[in-house]
């Protein structure tokens, strides 16, 4: 069996498959090759957890098109370059200025060959563009890839793993706070029977899914654990559409054999998401803060890289365009440092105000649709009681 060091050459840019199913078994070999050559670059997607075996200091350059908690320290220190782009634009960036020479990925065996595992994300596009794949094949990752098997000629299998070594990372969600529950109840009242619902990862997102009381479809970049409960309650219509699985072994077991993971090019296609012949899309996104014009920041507070752009602007724009759909931004009225409604955002504008229809807090709901700028500011001030 070939070694990863045989595939990593001087001056290469290597992309590492992201999400909970990142190819951890290959990290030590990648770092060793990078140290030996001294000029290997790294491009990363979303790393939700720190990866101790992936020593970022071994690389000549590290860029991320998504970020995540696993890269927060490097982004704050300036050693990881954060490329600002919405998730739907990631394939274009990786096909152009950040095109890698090699992709590292976790694959699973299906009846027809090798498939991507707990996420499809932007990886299938690279394979179809001819980027070779160095793979670890996992016997404990779910088979949920909706696409065809990867071409045999594109893949070099470097390792086969089972058990904990090959299982996707566990991303536990803390129990909801009283504010989360209040927000989720307000959100649930906005979701009509049969709608398509999008959520992200995290505590509030989980609370919003748990609060749903009508049958819905899931059409979401990330599919979190509470979808299992939604299915158990008989409230899940059709097979979900997603690019990532994000959760615990319970979710991964439930997802195994359900061919529901698609590329970013499909999942985050704003035209598909807002198509008039599909059920309405209710985009349920969270935020760190919102300003008086309704502009949203999800990327960071006080100069720290707290969040990521991800699919926030994609789904917000699609929800606002969807016939009978909604772009909802949900957040607690206050956080540790004060109100979340601010005069001026402390970070970049992630999502424009014109792609925000409804703002929900633990104190109520502000419907901004059909209001002019002055009316929107008045509605937000009233919601926060300022």
């Amino acid at each position: 069996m070939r070694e990863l060091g045989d595939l990593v050459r001087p001056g290469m840019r290597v992309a590492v498959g992201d999400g909970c199913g990142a190819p951890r078994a290959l990290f030590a070999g990648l770092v060793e090759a990078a140290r030996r050559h001294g000029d290997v670059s790294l491009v990363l997607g979303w790393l939700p957890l720190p990866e101790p075996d992936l020593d970022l200091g071994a690389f000549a350059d590290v860029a991320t098109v998504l970020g995540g908690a696993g890269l927060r320290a490097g982004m704050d220190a300036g050693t990881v370059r954060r490329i600002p782009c919405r998730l739907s634009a990631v394939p274009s960036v990786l096909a152009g200025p950040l095109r890698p020479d090699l992709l590292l990925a976790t694959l699973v065996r299906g009846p027809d060959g090798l498939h991507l595992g707990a996420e499809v994300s932007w990886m299938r596009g690279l394979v179809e563009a001819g980027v070779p794949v160095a793979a670890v094949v996992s016997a404990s990752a779910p088979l949920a890839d909706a696409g065809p098997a990867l071409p045999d000629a594109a893949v070099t299998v470097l390792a086969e793993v089972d058990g904990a070594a090959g299982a996707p990372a566990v991303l536990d969600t803390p129990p909801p706070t009283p504010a989360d529950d209040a927000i989720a109840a307000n959100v649930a009242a906005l979701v009509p029977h049969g709608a398509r619902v999008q959520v992200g990862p995290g505590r509030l997102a989980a609370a919003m899914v748990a609060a749903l009381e009508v049958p819905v479809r899931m059409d979401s970049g990330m599919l979190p654990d509470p979808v299992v409960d939604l299915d158990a309650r008989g409230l899940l219509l059709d097979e979900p559409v997603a690019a990532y699985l994000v959760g615990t072994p319970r979710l991964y077991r439930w997802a195994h054999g359900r061919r529901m993971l698609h590329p970013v090019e499909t999942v985050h296609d704003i035209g598909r998401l807002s198509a008039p012949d599909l059920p309405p899309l209710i985009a349920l996104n969270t935020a760190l803060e919102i300003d008086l014009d309704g502009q949203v920041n999800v990327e960071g507070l006080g100069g720290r890289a707290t969040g990521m752009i991800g699919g926030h602007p994609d789904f917000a724009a699609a929800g606002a365009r969807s016939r009978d759909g909604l772009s909802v931004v949900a957040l607690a009225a206050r956080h540790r440092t004060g109100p979340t409604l601010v005069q001026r955002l402390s970070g970049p504008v992630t999502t424009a105000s014109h792609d925000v229809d409804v703002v929900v807090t633990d104190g109520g709901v502000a419907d901004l649709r059909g209001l002019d700028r002055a009316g929107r500011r008045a509605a937000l001030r009233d919601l926060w009681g300022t």
Side-chain angles (χ1 to χ4, degrees), residues 65-66 83-93 264 268 270 309-318 350-352 354-355:
V65 289
L66 280 171
I83 311 303
C85 62
R86 60 174 68 208
L87 192 45
S88 61
V90 166
S92 176
V93 172
V264 163
H268 288 256
I270 297 175
I309 296 173
H312 199 291
D314 296 329
F315 282 97
T350 308
T351 295
H354 54 255
D355 285 331

Side-chain angles (χ1 to χ4, degrees), residues 4 25 32 37 62 69 115 140 142 145 155 185 195 201 205 214 218 221 235 259 290 313 323 334 345:
L4 183 55
E32 180 183 352
H37 295 311
V62 181
H115 287 262
S140 47
D145 180 2
V155 180
V214 296
M218 295 300 297
L235 297 181
R259 310 299 281 271
I290 186 168
R323 185 174 298 167
R334 297 185 63 85
L345 298 179

Side-chain angles (χ1 to χ4, degrees), residues 19 36 43-44 65 98 109-110 123 136 140 152 181 204 226 244 254 283 310 319 328 337 354:
R36 183 168 67 252
V43 60
L44 300 167
V65 289
L98 289 182
R109 292 194 187 279
M123 291 184 284
V136 54
S140 47
D152 290 340
D181 286 333
L204 177 53
Y244 294 83
W254 176 86
V328 178
T337 58
H354 54 255

Side-chain angles (χ1 to χ4, degrees), residues 37-100:
H37 295 311
D39 60 354
V40 174
S41 298
L42 189 64
V43 60
L44 300 167
W46 175 53
L47 286 189
L49 297 170
E51 299 289 352
D53 293 334
L54 188 62
D55 179 6
L56 302 180
F59 299 90
D61 179 67
V62 181
T64 178
V65 289
L66 280 171
L71 297 173
R72 189 170 294 157
M75 291 187 292
D76 286 341
T79 56
V80 176
R81 296 190 300 118
R82 191 179 193 186
I83 311 303
C85 62
R86 60 174 68 208
L87 192 45
S88 61
V90 166
S92 176
V93 172
L94 294 181
L98 289 182
R99 180 185 170 94

Side-chain angles (χ1 to χ4, degrees), residues 342-362:
V342 296
Q343 285 281 137
R344 183 182 179 87
L345 298 179
S346 60
V349 175
T350 308
T351 295
S353 61
H354 54 255
D355 285 331
V356 178
D357 291 328
V358 177
V359 177
V360 179
T361 72
D362 41 324

Side-chain angles (χ1 to χ4, degrees), residues 169-194:
V170 174
L171 205 64
D172 279 317
T173 302
T177 66
D180 294 332
D181 286 333
I183 294 167
N186 289 333
V187 164
L190 301 172
V191 180
H193 186 292

